[in-house]
Amino acid sequence: MILAHLSDCERYEALHPLFKQVFDYVKSNDLLHVPAGRIVIDGDKLFINVSDANLVPAESQKLEVHRKYIDIHFPLSGAEIVGWSPLSRLNESEAPFDVENDFALYAETPSTYFTALPGDFYIVYPEDAHAPVIGEGVLRKLIVKVLL
């Protein structure tokens, strides 16, 4: 998992062939004011889910993992608390991995929490179990899906 500020994104562009395109798009568009929904950049290889998420208490948010996509999260309108644990430390998921929707959920408590602020981004790989959208209120955020 990577937590960084958008001003430092060039350092991370070499980690995946589509990352530069992601960062260029986010920096050059006013995504705080677009309608919620999906923005397709490169078909199923690269798209953005613009979400107005209802934040939830930490104890009611589950850890999630993905296999097919890397997620890059950008909180836009406020702070987002996120739980994290390495997948290798978790027991079995609550249900079999949902291949069609690319996720599994885990009920265990995250091993650590961090806060991402507007201007920050965090990248989660398949080995990163994450519990996003923790807090109070509503958060406008981007979840970029990058095909592995």
Side-chain angles (χ1 to χ4, degrees), residues 36-83:
R38 183 174 287 198
I39 299 170
V40 177
I41 298 174
D42 189 0
D44 286 340
K45 292 180 186 176
L46 177 61
F47 58 91
I48 300 172
N49 291 323
V50 180
S51 174
D52 293 317
N54 291 311
L55 299 176
V56 300
E59 59 273 6
S60 49
Q61 185 61 303
K62 296 180 187 281
L63 288 161
E64 61 184 67
V65 295
H66 313 289
R67 291 182 185 163
K68 188 176 175 182
Y69 287 95
I70 298 166
D71 280 0
I72 307 177
H73 295 247
F74 296 86
L76 299 179
S77 66
E80 175 184 20
I81 299 169
V82 182

Tab-separated table of all heavy atoms in Angstrom, residues 36-83:
chain	number	residue	atom	x	y	z
A	36	ALA	N	-21.716	12.093	-9.844
A	36	ALA	CA	-21.248	10.791	-9.363
A	36	ALA	C	-21.511	9.753	-10.444
A	36	ALA	O	-22.473	9.859	-11.203
A	36	ALA	CB	-21.961	10.408	-8.072
A	37	GLY	N	-20.651	8.753	-10.512
A	37	GLY	CA	-20.804	7.700	-11.505
A	37	GLY	C	-19.453	7.271	-12.043
A	37	GLY	O	-18.406	7.604	-11.486
A	38	ARG	N	-19.475	6.553	-13.145
A	38	ARG	CA	-18.255	5.997	-13.732
A	38	ARG	C	-17.750	6.877	-14.858
A	38	ARG	O	-18.521	7.311	-15.708
A	38	ARG	CB	-18.520	4.589	-14.260
A	38	ARG	CG	-17.262	3.933	-14.828
A	38	ARG	CD	-17.505	2.515	-15.216
A	38	ARG	NE	-17.608	1.734	-13.999
A	38	ARG	CZ	-17.478	0.414	-13.948
A	38	ARG	NH1	-17.290	-0.283	-15.043
A	38	ARG	NH2	-17.589	-0.223	-12.801
A	39	ILE	N	-16.442	7.107	-14.849
A	39	ILE	CA	-15.755	7.770	-15.946
A	39	ILE	C	-14.841	6.728	-16.570
A	39	ILE	O	-13.915	6.236	-15.917
A	39	ILE	CB	-14.921	8.972	-15.449
A	39	ILE	CG1	-15.821	10.015	-14.783
A	39	ILE	CG2	-14.126	9.576	-16.603
A	39	ILE	CD1	-15.057	11.113	-14.066
A	40	VAL	N	-15.105	6.370	-17.808
A	40	VAL	CA	-14.295	5.361	-18.498
A	40	VAL	C	-13.163	6.076	-19.221
A	40	VAL	O	-13.400	6.979	-20.033
A	40	VAL	CB	-15.150	4.536	-19.478
A	40	VAL	CG1	-14.286	3.549	-20.238
A	40	VAL	CG2	-16.266	3.816	-18.735
A	41	ILE	N	-11.943	5.673	-18.916
A	41	ILE	CA	-10.773	6.267	-19.563
A	41	ILE	C	-10.211	5.317	-20.609
A	41	ILE	O	-9.875	5.726	-21.703
A	41	ILE	CB	-9.700	6.640	-18.523
A	41	ILE	CG1	-10.276	7.688	-17.562
A	41	ILE	CG2	-8.440	7.154	-19.193
A	41	ILE	CD1	-9.377	8.034	-16.412
A	42	ASP	N	-10.118	4.031	-20.277
A	42	ASP	CA	-9.597	3.035	-21.211
A	42	ASP	C	-10.339	1.716	-20.991
A	42	ASP	O	-9.762	0.728	-20.534
A	42	ASP	CB	-8.092	2.870	-21.018
A	42	ASP	CG	-7.437	2.010	-22.093
A	42	ASP	OD1	-8.153	1.524	-22.998
A	42	ASP	OD2	-6.209	1.810	-22.025
A	43	GLY	N	-11.638	1.727	-21.291
A	43	GLY	CA	-12.459	0.518	-21.168
A	43	GLY	C	-12.381	-0.086	-19.784
A	43	GLY	O	-12.441	0.622	-18.782
A	44	ASP	N	-12.225	-1.409	-19.736
A	44	ASP	CA	-12.119	-2.111	-18.456
A	44	ASP	C	-10.710	-2.050	-17.878
A	44	ASP	O	-10.479	-2.498	-16.762
A	44	ASP	CB	-12.533	-3.573	-18.615
A	44	ASP	CG	-14.028	-3.741	-18.771
A	44	ASP	OD1	-14.774	-2.816	-18.388
A	44	ASP	OD2	-14.457	-4.794	-19.276
A	45	LYS	N	-9.769	-1.493	-18.633
A	45	LYS	CA	-8.397	-1.387	-18.135
A	45	LYS	C	-8.220	-0.258	-17.129
A	45	LYS	O	-7.400	-0.349	-16.225
A	45	LYS	CB	-7.422	-1.152	-19.295
A	45	LYS	CG	-7.265	-2.301	-20.233
A	45	LYS	CD	-6.270	-1.919	-21.307
A	45	LYS	CE	-6.195	-2.992	-22.372
A	45	LYS	NZ	-5.295	-2.570	-23.459
A	46	LEU	N	-8.989	0.835	-17.328
A	46	LEU	CA	-8.812	1.999	-16.478
A	46	LEU	C	-10.098	2.808	-16.449
A	46	LEU	O	-10.563	3.296	-17.476
A	46	LEU	CB	-7.670	2.876	-17.015
A	46	LEU	CG	-7.387	4.178	-16.279
A	46	LEU	CD1	-7.002	3.925	-14.830
A	46	LEU	CD2	-6.289	4.948	-16.998
A	47	PHE	N	-10.681	2.910	-15.250
A	47	PHE	CA	-11.871	3.730	-15.088
A	47	PHE	C	-11.901	4.297	-13.676
A	47	PHE	O	-11.178	3.852	-12.792
A	47	PHE	CB	-13.154	2.968	-15.428
A	47	PHE	CG	-13.392	1.720	-14.627
A	47	PHE	CD1	-14.122	1.754	-13.447
A	47	PHE	CD2	-12.892	0.499	-15.057
A	47	PHE	CE1	-14.360	0.601	-12.710
A	47	PHE	CE2	-13.120	-0.660	-14.324
A	47	PHE	CZ	-13.859	-0.617	-13.155
A	48	ILE	N	-12.746	5.329	-13.517
A	48	ILE	CA	-12.865	6.017	-12.232
A	48	ILE	C	-14.301	5.929	-11.762
A	48	ILE	O	-15.222	6.237	-12.526
A	48	ILE	CB	-12.467	7.499	-12.351
A	48	ILE	CG1	-11.024	7.648	-12.821
A	48	ILE	CG2	-12.682	8.235	-11.025
A	48	ILE	CD1	-10.625	9.076	-13.149
A	49	ASN	N	-14.494	5.521	-10.529
A	49	ASN	CA	-15.801	5.597	-9.890
A	49	ASN	C	-15.806	6.853	-9.025
A	49	ASN	O	-15.020	6.962	-8.079
A	49	ASN	CB	-16.083	4.361	-9.042
A	49	ASN	CG	-16.278	3.123	-9.893
A	49	ASN	OD1	-16.853	3.181	-10.975
A	49	ASN	ND2	-15.782	1.988	-9.419
A	50	VAL	N	-16.665	7.807	-9.393
A	50	VAL	CA	-16.839	9.032	-8.608
A	50	VAL	C	-17.975	8.755	-7.638
A	50	VAL	O	-19.082	8.422	-8.042
A	50	VAL	CB	-17.178	10.236	-9.514
A	50	VAL	CG1	-17.354	11.495	-8.682
A	50	VAL	CG2	-16.117	10.420	-10.597
A	51	SER	N	-17.687	8.884	-6.354
A	51	SER	CA	-18.639	8.464	-5.329
A	51	SER	C	-18.874	9.562	-4.304
A	51	SER	O	-17.949	10.268	-3.904
A	51	SER	CB	-18.080	7.221	-4.621
A	51	SER	OG	-18.886	6.849	-3.546
A	52	ASP	N	-20.117	9.697	-3.893
A	52	ASP	CA	-20.478	10.503	-2.734
A	52	ASP	C	-20.810	9.503	-1.633
A	52	ASP	O	-21.952	9.086	-1.466
A	52	ASP	CB	-21.667	11.414	-3.054
A	52	ASP	CG	-21.298	12.475	-4.067
A	52	ASP	OD1	-20.211	13.060	-3.944
A	52	ASP	OD2	-22.086	12.716	-4.999
A	53	ALA	N	-19.785	9.098	-0.920
A	53	ALA	CA	-19.887	7.993	0.031
A	53	ALA	C	-20.349	8.467	1.395
A	53	ALA	O	-19.853	9.471	1.916
A	53	ALA	CB	-18.530	7.301	0.157
A	54	ASN	N	-21.279	7.730	1.970
A	54	ASN	CA	-21.660	7.944	3.367
A	54	ASN	C	-20.591	7.290	4.234
A	54	ASN	O	-20.388	6.076	4.156
A	54	ASN	CB	-23.032	7.333	3.655
A	54	ASN	CG	-24.136	8.088	2.957
A	54	ASN	OD1	-24.214	9.297	3.028
A	54	ASN	ND2	-24.988	7.357	2.259
A	55	LEU	N	-19.908	8.080	5.043
A	55	LEU	CA	-18.874	7.543	5.911
A	55	LEU	C	-19.513	6.752	7.048
A	55	LEU	O	-20.636	7.048	7.463
A	55	LEU	CB	-18.012	8.676	6.453
A	55	LEU	CG	-17.283	9.495	5.374
A	55	LEU	CD1	-16.537	10.657	6.018
A	55	LEU	CD2	-16.341	8.631	4.569
A	56	VAL	N	-18.808	5.731	7.507
A	56	VAL	CA	-19.345	4.815	8.516
A	56	VAL	C	-18.370	4.695	9.687
A	56	VAL	O	-17.182	4.976	9.540
A	56	VAL	CB	-19.625	3.415	7.910
A	56	VAL	CG1	-20.643	3.496	6.783
A	56	VAL	CG2	-18.348	2.761	7.419
A	57	PRO	N	-18.859	4.256	10.845
A	57	PRO	CA	-17.962	4.017	11.985
A	57	PRO	C	-16.986	2.874	11.679
A	57	PRO	O	-17.314	1.939	10.940
A	57	PRO	CB	-18.908	3.615	13.113
A	57	PRO	CG	-20.273	4.028	12.680
A	57	PRO	CD	-20.270	4.021	11.186
A	58	ALA	N	-15.814	2.954	12.257
A	58	ALA	CA	-14.774	1.948	12.019
A	58	ALA	C	-15.264	0.535	12.328
A	58	ALA	O	-14.971	-0.415	11.597
A	58	ALA	CB	-13.535	2.268	12.835
A	59	GLU	N	-16.030	0.394	13.417
A	59	GLU	CA	-16.450	-0.952	13.818
A	59	GLU	C	-17.455	-1.581	12.853
A	59	GLU	O	-17.677	-2.789	12.888
A	59	GLU	CB	-16.999	-0.951	15.246
A	59	GLU	CG	-18.181	-0.048	15.478
A	59	GLU	CD	-17.820	1.387	15.824
A	59	GLU	OE1	-16.632	1.767	15.791
A	59	GLU	OE2	-18.751	2.150	16.134
A	60	SER	N	-18.053	-0.807	11.966
A	60	SER	CA	-19.005	-1.410	11.027
A	60	SER	C	-18.452	-1.523	9.609
A	60	SER	O	-19.145	-2.015	8.729
A	60	SER	CB	-20.331	-0.644	11.018
A	60	SER	OG	-20.150	0.714	10.884
A	61	GLN	N	-17.202	-1.135	9.393
A	61	GLN	CA	-16.625	-1.254	8.056
A	61	GLN	C	-15.743	-2.487	7.985
A	61	GLN	O	-14.921	-2.728	8.852
A	61	GLN	CB	-15.825	0.001	7.714
A	61	GLN	CG	-15.282	0.031	6.309
A	61	GLN	CD	-16.359	-0.010	5.246
A	61	GLN	OE1	-17.173	-0.932	5.208
A	61	GLN	NE2	-16.371	0.968	4.375
A	62	LYS	N	-15.938	-3.262	6.942
A	62	LYS	CA	-15.171	-4.503	6.753
A	62	LYS	C	-13.976	-4.263	5.844
A	62	LYS	O	-13.990	-3.371	4.990
A	62	LYS	CB	-16.070	-5.575	6.156
A	62	LYS	CG	-17.198	-5.967	7.084
A	62	LYS	CD	-18.068	-7.044	6.464
A	62	LYS	CE	-19.282	-7.316	7.308
A	62	LYS	NZ	-19.041	-8.141	8.447
A	63	LEU	N	-12.963	-5.065	6.031
A	63	LEU	CA	-11.816	-5.059	5.135
A	63	LEU	C	-12.218	-5.697	3.815
A	63	LEU	O	-12.941	-6.701	3.790
A	63	LEU	CB	-10.661	-5.847	5.754
A	63	LEU	CG	-9.965	-5.191	6.932
A	63	LEU	CD1	-9.200	-6.230	7.733
A	63	LEU	CD2	-9.041	-4.080	6.457
A	64	GLU	N	-11.744	-5.139	2.704
A	64	GLU	CA	-12.023	-5.693	1.386
A	64	GLU	C	-10.711	-5.900	0.637
A	64	GLU	O	-9.716	-5.231	0.922
A	64	GLU	CB	-12.942	-4.776	0.585
A	64	GLU	CG	-12.375	-3.395	0.328
A	64	GLU	CD	-13.348	-2.475	-0.386
A	64	GLU	OE1	-14.374	-2.108	0.215
A	64	GLU	OE2	-13.059	-2.104	-1.537
A	65	VAL	N	-10.722	-6.832	-0.277
A	65	VAL	CA	-9.564	-7.069	-1.150
A	65	VAL	C	-10.064	-7.274	-2.574
A	65	VAL	O	-11.220	-7.620	-2.808
A	65	VAL	CB	-8.721	-8.292	-0.710
A	65	VAL	CG1	-8.076	-8.072	0.639
A	65	VAL	CG2	-9.542	-9.560	-0.728
A	66	HIS	N	-9.146	-7.042	-3.511
A	66	HIS	CA	-9.423	-7.223	-4.939
A	66	HIS	C	-8.288	-8.041	-5.544
A	66	HIS	O	-7.160	-7.983	-5.058
A	66	HIS	CB	-9.524	-5.868	-5.642
A	66	HIS	CG	-10.395	-4.888	-4.914
A	66	HIS	ND1	-11.754	-5.017	-4.855
A	66	HIS	CD2	-10.087	-3.796	-4.185
A	66	HIS	CE1	-12.256	-4.022	-4.137
A	66	HIS	NE2	-11.253	-3.269	-3.706
A	67	ARG	N	-8.562	-8.759	-6.600
A	67	ARG	CA	-7.532	-9.534	-7.290
A	67	ARG	C	-7.222	-9.005	-8.679
A	67	ARG	O	-6.101	-9.098	-9.149
A	67	ARG	CB	-7.972	-11.000	-7.422
A	67	ARG	CG	-8.026	-11.741	-6.128
A	67	ARG	CD	-8.428	-13.179	-6.365
A	67	ARG	NE	-8.603	-13.878	-5.103
A	67	ARG	CZ	-9.249	-15.010	-4.973
A	67	ARG	NH1	-9.807	-15.592	-6.031
A	67	ARG	NH2	-9.357	-15.574	-3.783
A	68	LYS	N	-8.228	-8.495	-9.343
A	68	LYS	CA	-8.105	-8.114	-10.755
A	68	LYS	C	-7.615	-6.676	-10.930
A	68	LYS	O	-6.989	-6.348	-11.932
A	68	LYS	CB	-9.476	-8.289	-11.416
A	68	LYS	CG	-9.507	-8.116	-12.894
A	68	LYS	CD	-10.914	-8.418	-13.413
A	68	LYS	CE	-11.023	-8.142	-14.895
A	68	LYS	NZ	-12.362	-8.386	-15.408
A	69	TYR	N	-7.924	-5.815	-9.958
A	69	TYR	CA	-7.613	-4.397	-10.081
A	69	TYR	C	-6.777	-3.886	-8.913
A	69	TYR	O	-6.929	-4.344	-7.784
A	69	TYR	CB	-8.902	-3.562	-10.123
A	69	TYR	CG	-9.663	-3.686	-11.417
A	69	TYR	CD1	-10.697	-4.606	-11.545
A	69	TYR	CD2	-9.341	-2.892	-12.510
A	69	TYR	CE1	-11.401	-4.730	-12.737
A	69	TYR	CE2	-10.044	-3.013	-13.705
A	69	TYR	CZ	-11.064	-3.924	-13.818
A	69	TYR	OH	-11.751	-4.045	-14.992
A	70	ILE	N	-5.949	-2.902	-9.219
A	70	ILE	CA	-5.313	-2.053	-8.218
A	70	ILE	C	-6.282	-0.891	-8.026
A	70	ILE	O	-6.831	-0.372	-8.998
A	70	ILE	CB	-3.965	-1.521	-8.727
A	70	ILE	CG1	-2.988	-2.676	-8.995
A	70	ILE	CG2	-3.374	-0.515	-7.744
A	70	ILE	CD1	-1.770	-2.257	-9.803
A	71	ASP	N	-6.508	-0.473	-6.795
A	71	ASP	CA	-7.334	0.700	-6.510
A	71	ASP	C	-6.421	1.884	-6.190
A	71	ASP	O	-5.438	1.736	-5.466
A	71	ASP	CB	-8.197	0.496	-5.259
A	71	ASP	CG	-9.450	-0.319	-5.498
A	71	ASP	OD1	-9.692	-0.755	-6.633
A	71	ASP	OD2	-10.193	-0.511	-4.513
A	72	ILE	N	-6.803	3.054	-6.709
A	72	ILE	CA	-6.188	4.295	-6.262
A	72	ILE	C	-7.330	5.178	-5.766
A	72	ILE	O	-8.244	5.493	-6.522
A	72	ILE	CB	-5.413	5.018	-7.377
A	72	ILE	CG1	-4.399	4.079	-8.047
A	72	ILE	CG2	-4.705	6.256	-6.796
A	72	ILE	CD1	-3.658	4.702	-9.208
A	73	HIS	N	-7.306	5.513	-4.491
A	73	HIS	CA	-8.364	6.297	-3.861
A	73	HIS	C	-7.894	7.741	-3.694
A	73	HIS	O	-6.758	7.978	-3.263
A	73	HIS	CB	-8.701	5.731	-2.476
A	73	HIS	CG	-9.283	4.364	-2.510
A	73	HIS	ND1	-10.581	4.111	-2.141
A	73	HIS	CD2	-8.759	3.158	-2.854
A	73	HIS	CE1	-10.831	2.816	-2.253
A	73	HIS	NE2	-9.740	2.220	-2.688
A	74	PHE	N	-8.786	8.680	-4.015
A	74	PHE	CA	-8.536	10.108	-3.871
A	74	PHE	C	-9.686	10.736	-3.084
A	74	PHE	O	-10.764	10.951	-3.655
A	74	PHE	CB	-8.477	10.805	-5.237
A	74	PHE	CG	-7.353	10.381	-6.132
A	74	PHE	CD1	-7.482	9.283	-6.962
A	74	PHE	CD2	-6.170	11.113	-6.178
A	74	PHE	CE1	-6.458	8.904	-7.823
A	74	PHE	CE2	-5.145	10.745	-7.028
A	74	PHE	CZ	-5.281	9.635	-7.858
A	75	PRO	N	-9.527	11.043	-1.799
A	75	PRO	CA	-10.580	11.790	-1.100
A	75	PRO	C	-10.566	13.229	-1.611
A	75	PRO	O	-9.504	13.838	-1.717
A	75	PRO	CB	-10.172	11.697	0.366
A	75	PRO	CG	-8.698	11.479	0.343
A	75	PRO	CD	-8.392	10.741	-0.928
A	76	LEU	N	-11.734	13.752	-1.951
A	76	LEU	CA	-11.790	15.096	-2.537
A	76	LEU	C	-12.364	16.157	-1.612
A	76	LEU	O	-11.900	17.290	-1.603
A	76	LEU	CB	-12.613	15.071	-3.833
A	76	LEU	CG	-12.094	14.192	-4.966
A	76	LEU	CD1	-13.037	14.268	-6.152
A	76	LEU	CD2	-10.685	14.588	-5.369
A	77	SER	N	-13.407	15.819	-0.854
A	77	SER	CA	-14.133	16.855	-0.111
A	77	SER	C	-13.845	16.885	1.385
A	77	SER	O	-14.374	17.743	2.090
A	77	SER	CB	-15.641	16.690	-0.327
A	77	SER	OG	-16.093	15.474	0.243
A	78	GLY	N	-13.026	15.979	1.869
A	78	GLY	CA	-12.742	15.945	3.292
A	78	GLY	C	-11.844	14.780	3.650
A	78	GLY	O	-11.323	14.081	2.778
A	79	ALA	N	-11.680	14.578	4.946
A	79	ALA	CA	-10.820	13.509	5.449
A	79	ALA	C	-11.518	12.158	5.368
A	79	ALA	O	-12.727	12.056	5.558
A	79	ALA	CB	-10.420	13.798	6.891
A	80	GLU	N	-10.728	11.138	5.102
A	80	GLU	CA	-11.214	9.756	5.080
A	80	GLU	C	-10.290	8.922	5.954
A	80	GLU	O	-9.071	8.923	5.754
A	80	GLU	CB	-11.206	9.208	3.658
A	80	GLU	CG	-11.575	7.749	3.561
A	80	GLU	CD	-11.470	7.192	2.153
A	80	GLU	OE1	-10.769	7.782	1.303
A	80	GLU	OE2	-12.092	6.148	1.907
A	81	ILE	N	-10.855	8.226	6.902
A	81	ILE	CA	-10.083	7.273	7.704
A	81	ILE	C	-10.181	5.926	7.009
A	81	ILE	O	-11.250	5.530	6.533
A	81	ILE	CB	-10.628	7.201	9.140
A	81	ILE	CG1	-10.522	8.580	9.812
A	81	ILE	CG2	-9.880	6.138	9.956
A	81	ILE	CD1	-11.263	8.689	11.116
A	82	VAL	N	-9.047	5.235	6.961
A	82	VAL	CA	-8.973	3.951	6.262
A	82	VAL	C	-8.263	2.946	7.154
A	82	VAL	O	-7.208	3.243	7.720
A	82	VAL	CB	-8.193	4.091	4.923
A	82	VAL	CG1	-8.159	2.775	4.174
A	82	VAL	CG2	-8.774	5.203	4.066
A	83	GLY	N	-8.854	1.759	7.267
A	83	GLY	CA	-8.192	0.662	7.958
A	83	GLY	C	-7.393	-0.152	6.961
A	83	GLY	O	-7.755	-0.242	5.779
